[in-house]
Amino acid sequence: MTWHTSRRNLLRTTGAAAGAVGLSSLAGCMGTIGGGSGVKVGSKQFSEQRVLGSLAYETLSENTDLEISDETGLGGTTQNFEALRSEEIDLYWEYTGTAWLTLPPQHDDPIADPDEIHTEVKQEFEAEHGVTVLEYAPLDNTYVLTANPDWHEETGVDSLSELAAHVNDGNTDLDQVMNAEFSERDDGWSGLVEHYDFDDDAVDDLADNTSTVDDEVVYQVVGEGEADIGMGFNTDPRILQFDLHVFEDDEDFFPAYNAVPLVREELLEESPEIEDVLNELTPLLDTDTIREMNNEVANEDRNPQNVASEFLEDEGLI
């Protein structure tokens, strides 16, 4: 499974592509999009995005009189956003952090507060792109630190501030794994230890027990006890697969990556019921809920549309 690696790589490569050649230069790629009619629902290609796209497709199909077309799995961040702006698709789910840090005009300062970043993105996208940013979901696909369940049970360390206190008390013999990008990012390990006041000497000691691995295996390494602590992404289903503990970010360090529907403004003017239907769905999508649906798709090999339909039926939305 490569879906989270793809998402994070896109955060880096999309911005560079946009700055170098401009998003409009990708318009020629849009010929790969299907020829469906009606309201076209797009998504990125990893499991969570296919689930989110299927949720939108199914609930709009059942709760409006509009013809809804399935364009889920369209491509990456850039392709979906450019398809939206060029009216090749009509809506897709983005992440507030991705919109703020990666899409034009791009910003360098991460924002941890979900309301603040949503407000900033909403104002900017509606003013500059003709794209309406709807209400955001509680699910937050941000960075997290995870722990082996046995280590967590033994230490009782639940939050990042407790982890800092634990390490600062001299417990620096724990083994860590993370990918190279996280170890160096200001919104990753280097920023986290400063934000949570880890002692410099403790950080140096931890470095001796820190290994850099690909994030495709980091969950397994922690889950099987080859390391005590590892980085991760909050909605990744492998957190469930390996029963990992997720440390509470109790001092709000990590940037917010809440999922939010982006919809063409002209479409909403013509069909305002789309906003009502999606805003009824969005508050139900918290981190635990989407993580479980991701698990069904990624680890149990279920069809995203079936998973989405069952959830909507259980919630009484279809």
Side-chain angles (χ1 to χ4, degrees):
M1 294 174 288
T2 60
W3 55 286
H4 274 296
T5 300
S6 299
R7 208 262 285 184
R8 290 298 178 186
N9 286 342
L10 282 165
L11 292 188
R12 303 176 68 191
T13 58
T14 302
V21 299
L23 285 172
S24 60
S25 67
L26 298 174
C29 299
M30 297 300 107
T32 61
I33 296 174
S37 58
V39 177
K40 302 180 181 66
V41 178
S43 84
K44 305 180 196 184
Q45 294 175 322
F46 54 90
S47 298
E48 178 170 297
Q49 279 277 310
R50 291 181 184 272
V51 170
L52 290 170
S54 295
L55 286 167
Y57 172 84
E58 294 292 336
T59 193
L60 289 172
S61 296
E62 291 291 332
N63 293 296
T64 71
D65 293 328
L66 302 168
E67 181 182 354
I68 312 298
S69 296
D70 183 358
E71 298 292 346
T72 55
L74 172 62
T77 298
T78 301
Q79 189 169 6
N80 276 277
F81 187 62
E82 180 57 22
L84 185 67
R85 296 206 306 173
S86 63
E87 302 182 20
E88 298 287 346
I89 62 173
D90 297 297
L91 67 94
Y92 81 101
W93 293 78
E94 191 50 89
Y95 300 92
T96 52
T98 306
W100 179 249
L101 296 169
T102 302
L103 294 173
Q106 296 180 256
H107 300 275
D108 296 326
D109 50 329
I111 299 175
D113 182 82
D115 289 332
E116 179 183 353
I117 193 171
H118 177 259
T119 297
E120 294 287 347
V121 170
K122 183 176 179 64
Q123 292 175 349
E124 196 166 82
F125 275 42
E126 292 178 1
E128 298 192 15
H129 301 306
V131 170
T132 298
V133 179
L134 301 186
E135 296 303 309
Y136 68 87
L139 76 90
D140 186 4
N141 193 10
T142 189
Y143 279 125
V144 291
L145 280 190
T146 68
N148 173 272
D150 294 334
W151 183 93
H152 171 245
E153 183 176 357
E154 178 183 340
T155 63
V157 175
D158 290 323
S159 67
L160 291 177
S161 60
E162 291 175 3
L163 177 63
H166 180 75
V167 169
N168 290 344
D169 283 342
N171 300 292
T172 58
D173 58 345
L174 55 87
D175 294 318
Q176 297 189 109
V177 288
M178 58 188 70
N179 66 20
E181 181 180 350
F182 181 80
S183 67
E184 299 174 357
R185 285 176 66 113
D186 290 339
D187 60 347
W189 179 249
S190 63
L192 184 149
V193 296
E194 180 179 353
H195 185 86
Y196 278 95
D197 294 324
F198 283 67
D199 291 342
D200 291 341
D201 290 342
V203 173
D204 290 340
D205 290 341
L206 286 173
D208 294 333
N209 298 320
T210 300
S211 301
T212 300
V213 299
D214 189 90
D215 47 330
E216 288 303 294
V217 299
V218 65
Y219 303 91
Q220 181 177 353
V221 170
V222 177
E224 295 180 351
E226 297 177 35
D228 302 305
I229 291 174
M231 57 78 66
F233 301 107
N234 199 26
T235 60
D236 195 300
R238 286 166 290 191
I239 290 173
L240 291 178
Q241 182 181 358
F242 294 103
D243 193 29
L244 304 181
H245 170 71
V246 176
F247 291 102
E248 179 189 358
D249 183 15
D250 53 323
E251 295 181 9
D252 297 327
F253 167 69
F254 289 119
Y257 281 89
N258 298 100
V260 61
L262 304 186
V263 188
R264 287 198 308 108
E265 188 175 67
E266 289 184 1
L267 174 64
L268 284 184
E269 291 174 356
E270 299 168 358
S271 305
E273 65 270 29
I274 291 174
E275 181 171 4
D276 296 333
V277 171
L278 292 180
N279 281 346
E280 187 175 4
L281 163 67
T282 299
L284 305 176
L285 302 178
D286 59 26
T287 296
D288 288 339
T289 296
I290 198 69
R291 194 187 284 161
E292 179 57 45
M293 285 194 280
N294 292 346
N295 182 60
E296 292 183 44
V297 173
N299 295 328
E300 299 176 11
D301 200 28
R302 296 198 60 207
N303 184 292
Q305 276 196 326
N306 293 340
V307 172
S309 293
E310 288 178 11
F311 172 79
L312 294 169
E313 288 174 0
D314 289 344
E315 295 295 331
L317 295 184
I318 63 173

